[in-house]
Amino acid sequence: MRHGKKFNHLGRKTAHRKAMLANMACSLIEHKRINTTVAKAKAIRQFVEPLITKSKSDTTHNRRIVFSYLRQKEAVTELFREVATKVADRPGGYVRIIKLGNRLGDNADMAMVELVDYNELYNPNGKKKKKSTRRRGKKSATATPPVAAETKASEEEE
């Protein structure tokens, strides 16, 4: 019986599923954004959010726990250095899933998984682009506007 077991097996055996989720989590930490199917996106969110929470307190014990899940030293150092400092004040919800549509080959539902604090478009506290103020040159007093020139020409014809 499978009472109370809610995670998606993704059609894989346990070892393959854990390895796949670890590799996808390392790619997400490294690139800050990955494209995958919706089912894998939901599974990766469940997998990586507790690891990001553990990375907020940089202790040897937490590093070892996270390393036992991720199995890549570079991803662990990236997580504890850059990602943890960005999400230090966030109480949860570190990963965003944006649905993209269907894949051409097999019509699978695709989604983009990204770390929330690394997207400047959706982040209201992120870097704001300054508008470059451009001013038009002042019109010279001797030149007549085109509308006025047309009305003078029509008056002369009459």
Side-chain angles (χ1 to χ4, degrees):
M1 288 186 287
R2 56 168 308 278
H3 296 301
K5 297 181 180 179
K6 293 184 179 179
F7 65 92
N8 192 348
H9 293 284
L10 300 172
R12 289 159 173 82
K13 303 277 178 150
T14 306
H16 184 193
R17 184 174 57 250
K18 286 182 180 178
M20 183 191 67
L21 290 174
N23 289 332
M24 289 176 67
C26 291
S27 295
L28 178 65
I29 291 166
E30 181 184 351
H31 300 292
K32 314 300 186 252
R33 176 181 299 166
I34 58 172
N35 289 338
T36 183
T37 62
V38 173
K40 287 181 191 172
K42 291 177 180 178
I44 198 70
R45 178 173 54 189
Q46 222 174 2
F47 182 84
V48 82
E49 287 205 355
L51 301 180
I52 296 174
T53 303
K54 285 209 181 301
S55 74
K56 286 172 149 185
S57 62
D58 190 3
T59 62
T60 307
H61 183 63
N62 283 347
R63 277 185 180 264
R64 285 179 177 166
I65 289 173
V66 170
F67 183 75
S68 72
Y69 283 95
L70 293 182
R71 306 178 200 150
Q72 286 185 19
K73 192 190 306 186
E74 296 81 17
V76 173
T77 55
E78 173 89 10
L79 177 65
F80 276 86
R81 283 190 186 151
E82 282 84 32
V83 177
T85 56
K86 274 228 175 186
V87 299
D89 56 341
R90 184 177 288 275
Y94 313 110
V95 176
R96 177 184 294 127
I97 296 175
I98 301 171
K99 294 187 179 179
L100 299 176
N102 295 342
R103 187 163 51 196
L104 285 177
D106 58 353
N107 209 28
D109 291 331
M110 296 299 288
M112 179 173 62
V113 184
E114 65 181 5
L115 295 175
V116 171
D117 291 317
Y118 283 91
N119 190 338
E120 285 79 25
L121 295 176
Y122 291 126
N123 193 0
N125 300 330
K127 299 176 185 174
K128 302 251 181 179
K129 289 185 179 178
K130 282 190 169 181
K131 287 187 177 179
S132 60
T133 56
R134 295 188 182 114
R135 297 175 187 233
R136 290 182 60 188
K138 292 190 176 187
K139 294 181 181 178
S140 61
T142 58
T144 58
V147 176
E150 289 176 16
T151 55
K152 284 184 181 180
S154 62
E155 288 175 2
E156 291 174 3
E157 290 176 2
E158 292 176 2

